[in-house]
Amino acid sequence: MEEVAESSTDFLDFLGPDTSATVFTMLHDPADLARASAVSRSWRTFVIANQFSKMQCLRVCPEVSTFARVEVRSSSGGKDHDVAGPSARAEDERLSRDHMVYMHLAHGLLAPYSGARNCITRCIGASSTDNFPEETIENTLEPIDRVEMRPSYWSSGGQRDPAVPEWLIYRLQADLCLVDEVKVQPFKAFFQYGDPIYSAKCIRFKMGYPTSPLEPETLVCDENEGQLIDDSNYVWTYTSPEFPMLQENVLQSFKLPHPVLCIGGVVKVELLGRVQKQAMDGLYYICVSHVQIVGKPVSQELEVAPHGKGVVMNYYPDPRRCSVARSDSSGDDGRSKWHGFASRFWHSGRARGIGGLNQGLLSRLFGAPLQFGGEDDVSDEEGELL
């Protein structure tokens, strides 16, 4: 019996807390940390108490230190029950909650992904626009500088001083995106004599979160130039170095010094200095035909919200609730597009005699209650797509 007792000695007790902590910090993969915390109750307690999951996140992205706290949200949007007061039990519950959320974040940050993608989902606004809406910032989402034989680009207002800056602000696909590169293509005015290229002299990027929710009616659209272009509407958690920009009509790549966690899903592209004067009026302009913010969304289950002078990271374990929240935050247009696609899919299955396609199944697939009462749900145009 004594040999059995000796063989079952916990190495945490044998090494002591300091040496054990050094060993655990060597675990760089969240899966290894999860396996270690599942060995025994004492190992799990040690992992949670020392916040090794948060350390993993900070090692990859120092911007994680921006979070004032984390919360676990229920499917209804409210906080999960917390134990009140400064008791030891309340502290244990807080540490356990933090461990769960940071483990989820670490998995999203460190999980391998094949091929980065453009993370822009909406245009928030531009510092100025020369001719709106013909030269709106929304044109920069087009990958080409001509659409139906018409030029597609954003143009700033003209300035006599070439040092006056401009900026473009974009909304990303998720509140947390890992960004490692930004690509910008200056516009060549092929319809002007000499084909001048209206690039900026330098470029810089800021990332952060809005101080209040971004309502759809405040973002740029055909009838609205965008109302949230001032810095007072945002808290910037990262500012890149300045990069020189070439006066060339090519998609120029600006690689960040390291992958940056964009906390809040807002990116500001600062265009610093003007190099091209328009012959017609003698004013300096900056024109951009295309912008890409390259990286990956970390998780749709993680969202952020301003709180006092900091920001809170909210975790929604139920992905269906988060899907509905994301659809709501992007306006009715986003929900109607998903509903229209699901509706076409359902009616297509009925028309082709495919069994098993029901509204309940599609509601679970698309993350929101869907109802298709009759043929009115599919427009003539949608019917042609089938």
Side-chain angles (χ1 to χ4, degrees):
M1 293 294 291
E2 291 180 0
E3 293 180 359
V4 173
E6 289 179 1
S7 64
S8 62
T9 300
D10 194 327
F11 98 89
L12 294 180
D13 297 330
F14 179 76
L15 294 178
D18 294 339
T19 305
S20 298
T22 301
V23 173
F24 274 91
T25 56
M26 300 296 179
L27 300 177
H28 288 211
D29 190 326
D32 292 336
L33 190 61
R35 283 189 285 267
S37 64
V39 168
S40 67
R41 181 175 297 176
S42 65
W43 282 38
R44 176 174 174 79
T45 301
F46 189 76
V47 168
I48 292 175
N50 286 276
Q51 297 184 298
F52 292 124
S53 58
K54 184 176 181 179
M55 288 183 189
Q56 282 189 338
C57 296
L58 286 167
R59 188 183 297 131
V60 179
C61 295
E63 299 81 25
V64 171
S65 61
T66 303
F67 298 123
R69 69 169 190 268
V70 301
E71 300 286 357
V72 177
R73 298 284 176 173
S74 64
S75 58
S76 62
K79 290 195 300 183
D80 280 0
H81 176 69
D82 287 334
V83 176
S87 65
R89 182 185 171 195
E91 178 64 11
D92 289 343
E93 288 205 1
R94 183 190 69 79
L95 290 172
S96 295
R97 179 189 63 220
D98 288 2
H99 172 72
M100 176 175 63
V101 177
Y102 282 113
M103 281 291 288
H104 187 82
L105 177 60
H107 176 74
L109 293 174
L110 296 168
Y113 63 103
S114 57
R117 66 187 190 189
N118 185 8
C119 294
I120 297 176
T121 187
R122 290 290 300 272
C123 297
I124 295 178
S127 52
S128 69
T129 302
D130 190 35
N131 296 303
F132 186 87
E134 290 79 9
E135 297 173 338
T136 175
I137 181 181
E138 293 190 299
N139 291 337
T140 64
L141 302 185
E142 296 289 343
I144 55 178
D145 57 8
R146 302 188 195 193
V147 177
E148 297 179 354
M149 301 305 295
R150 291 179 298 179
S152 175
Y153 63 97
W154 162 81
S155 174
S156 72
Q159 294 286 343
R160 297 193 181 279
D161 182 0
V164 175
E166 299 284 349
W167 57 90
L168 308 172
I169 304 180
Y170 297 93
R171 181 74 169 97
L172 303 188
Q173 295 174 357
D175 280 0
L176 296 175
C177 287
L178 196 62
V179 178
D180 56 13
E181 185 181 11
V182 180
K183 298 181 178 181
V184 179
Q185 181 170 342
F187 178 68
K188 179 171 71 173
F190 53 83
F191 48 83
Q192 293 183 358
Y193 178 77
D195 296 343
I197 299 174
Y198 292 90
S199 67
K201 186 176 182 180
C202 296
I203 194 167
R204 183 172 60 197
F205 314 106
K206 291 184 177 180
M207 304 182 195
Y209 58 91
T211 55
S212 59
L214 296 176
E215 301 297 339
E217 60 270 16
T218 63
L219 306 184
V220 67
C221 62
D222 287 346
E223 297 80 25
N224 178 19
E225 290 193 50
Q227 303 170 19
L228 300 175
I229 60 172
D230 191 81
D231 270 358
S232 61
N233 297 299
Y234 306 96
V235 175
W236 304 117
T237 59
Y238 172 80
T239 300
S240 77
E242 290 186 18
F243 300 90
M245 177 173 265
L246 302 176
Q247 195 175 6
E248 297 180 4
N249 178 230
V250 295
L251 190 61
Q252 301 179 32
S253 174
F254 304 96
K255 198 82 171 178
L256 300 179
H258 61 83
V260 175
L261 182 62
C262 178
I263 296 175
V266 176
V267 175
K268 178 183 183 182
V269 178
E270 294 185 305
L271 303 159
L272 308 174
R274 304 163 188 245
V275 297
Q276 184 62 51
K277 183 185 293 187
Q278 183 173 251
M280 184 183 303
D281 57 12
L283 300 179
Y284 288 93
Y285 292 83
I286 300 176
C287 300
V288 173
S289 61
H290 186 48
V291 174
Q292 292 182 10
I293 297 171
V294 181
K296 68 168 183 176
V298 172
S299 173
Q300 294 290 351
E301 287 79 40
L302 294 172
E303 298 180 358
V304 302
H307 178 78
K309 295 183 179 180
V311 62
V312 175
M313 178 168 57
N314 293 316
Y315 173 47
Y316 296 89
D318 184 356
R320 291 178 300 173
R321 187 270 166 208
C322 187
S323 175
V324 173
R326 176 64 60 191
S327 177
D328 289 343
S329 67
S330 61
D332 294 336
D333 182 59
R335 175 173 291 184
S336 64
K337 287 180 179 178
W338 279 112
H339 189 282
F341 176 77
S343 177
R344 293 196 301 273
F345 188 65
W346 182 65
H347 283 285
S348 176
R350 289 186 59 194
R352 294 168 183 168
I354 301 174
L357 293 178
N358 57 61
Q359 296 179 24
L361 174 62
L362 289 175
S363 294
R364 289 193 293 273
L365 285 173
F366 290 99
L370 301 172
Q371 294 183 349
F372 316 126
E375 301 301 325
D376 292 338
D377 283 315
V378 182
S379 65
D380 293 338
E381 181 180 359
E382 291 172 338
E384 292 174 1
L385 295 175
L386 301 176

